[in-house]
Amino acid sequence: MSKIKPSKGAPYARILGVGGYRPTRVVPNEVILETIDSSDEWIRSRSGIVTRHWASDEETVAMMSIEASGKAIAAAGITPEQIGAVIVSTVSHFKQTPAVATEIAHKIGAGRPAAFDISAGCAGFGYGLTLAKGMIVEGSAEHVLVIGVERLSDLTDLEDRATAFLFGDGAGAVVVGPSQVPAIGPTVWGSEGDKSETIKQTVSWNELHIGDVSNLPLDSKGEIKFPAITQEGQAVFRWAVYEMAKVAQQALEAAGISPEDLDVFIPHQANMRIIDSMVKTLKLPEHVTVARDIESTGNTSAASIPLAMERLLATGQAKSGDTALVIGFGAGLVYAATVVTLP
C-alpha cells in the first residue's frame, strides 16, 4: 500500500478572468504592400486581415504579458499573491534562459509561484490551459496564470509574399482557478510531426551563429536575413480545415455536448477562410457567435485565442457563462481543443 497521501485539489477548474494587450501601433495592409508585390484586396480575400498590431521596442514579450496579466487578475477578483503558477506560451522570447515566466511572475508581484515557458506554437494557449487545469485539480496550485504572448513582427520576413501580411503582436492572459462544477472540458490534443516542415523557422539560431552566408537566405540588399517563420500555405490550409474540424468535433463529444449547445466558437485566428470553412464543416448553428478577431489583430499565434476571447466579452458579443469551443493549431504540427465556460 502506498504511503503517499492523496492530492487535495479542487473537484474542477474554470477560467475566472481574462485580459489582453494589443500594441499601440496599428499597421494597415498598405504598409505591408511597401515590401511585397500584392494588393489590399488580395490580402483581405486570402486572409481576412485588414490591420494588425506591431510592438515597439518598449512593448516587449514581458511588458505585454504583464499588462494582460494585470487585467486578467483584476477580472478574476484575486490578488497577484494568490497566483500559484505562471505558464507562458511563446515562440518569440529570444532569450534561451531564464524563462520569461519568472520575470513576469516577479514583476506582477506573484511571490514565488512555479513559473515556466512552453513552446507549442498556435496551440500553446490550449496546452497551457490544460496544464493549469491539471495543477488545480491535482492540488499543486489554487490559481494559475496562463499567458499566450507573441512578437511575431520580429519573426516576419517582410519580403515573403506568402507570410508578410499574416502576423501580429500581442498578449492574452487568463486566470484559472477552482470550480465546484465542470467548466473546462477534456482536452483533445496531439501532434503530427511528419508535417513539421509545413510551418517552420527559416534557419536555426545555430546556422545564424555560424554565419556561413552560402547556407543563409539573403534579402534584396544581399544582407543575411534574420530567421523568420515560413509556411506551405495550401498544405496548412487543407490540414486546418479538414483535420482540425475533426478535432473540434471530438472536443465537443468529449465534453458531452453538440454544436447546438454552443454559444461561442473561438478558433485560433490563423485565417478567415479557415475559420469560415470550419464553421461550415462543423455545421454550427447561426446563433453561435464566431470570433473573427483576425481582421484587426492578425495571426498572433499563442495569443490569438485569449485575445479573441477578451474582445468578445468586452464588446458584449459573448457573455459570462457562455459555453465556448476553443481550438488552437499550428507549427509542429500541434493542436489542442476543449470546451470552456466563459468567465
Side-chain angles (χ1 to χ4, degrees), residues 15 91 94 121 193-194 219-220 229 242 270 279 298 306:
I15 299 174
V91 299
F94 293 155
D194 60 315
D219 63 19
S220 56
I229 297 173
Y242 298 109
V279 169

Side-chain angles (χ1 to χ4, degrees), residues 17-21 62-80 83 104 107-109 145-147 171-175:
V18 60
Y21 180 85
M63 176 270 186
M64 293 190 292
S65 297
I66 291 166
E67 291 293 322
S69 298
K71 296 175 183 177
I73 292 169
I78 65 170
T79 64
I83 298 293
I104 294 165
K107 290 186 175 178
I108 65 172
L145 179 63
V146 180
I147 303 166
V174 298
V175 172

Side-chain angles (χ1 to χ4, degrees), residues 112-129:
R112 301 175 62 185
F116 58 94
D117 299 349
I118 59 174
S119 176
C122 305
F125 176 75
Y127 275 48
L129 188 64

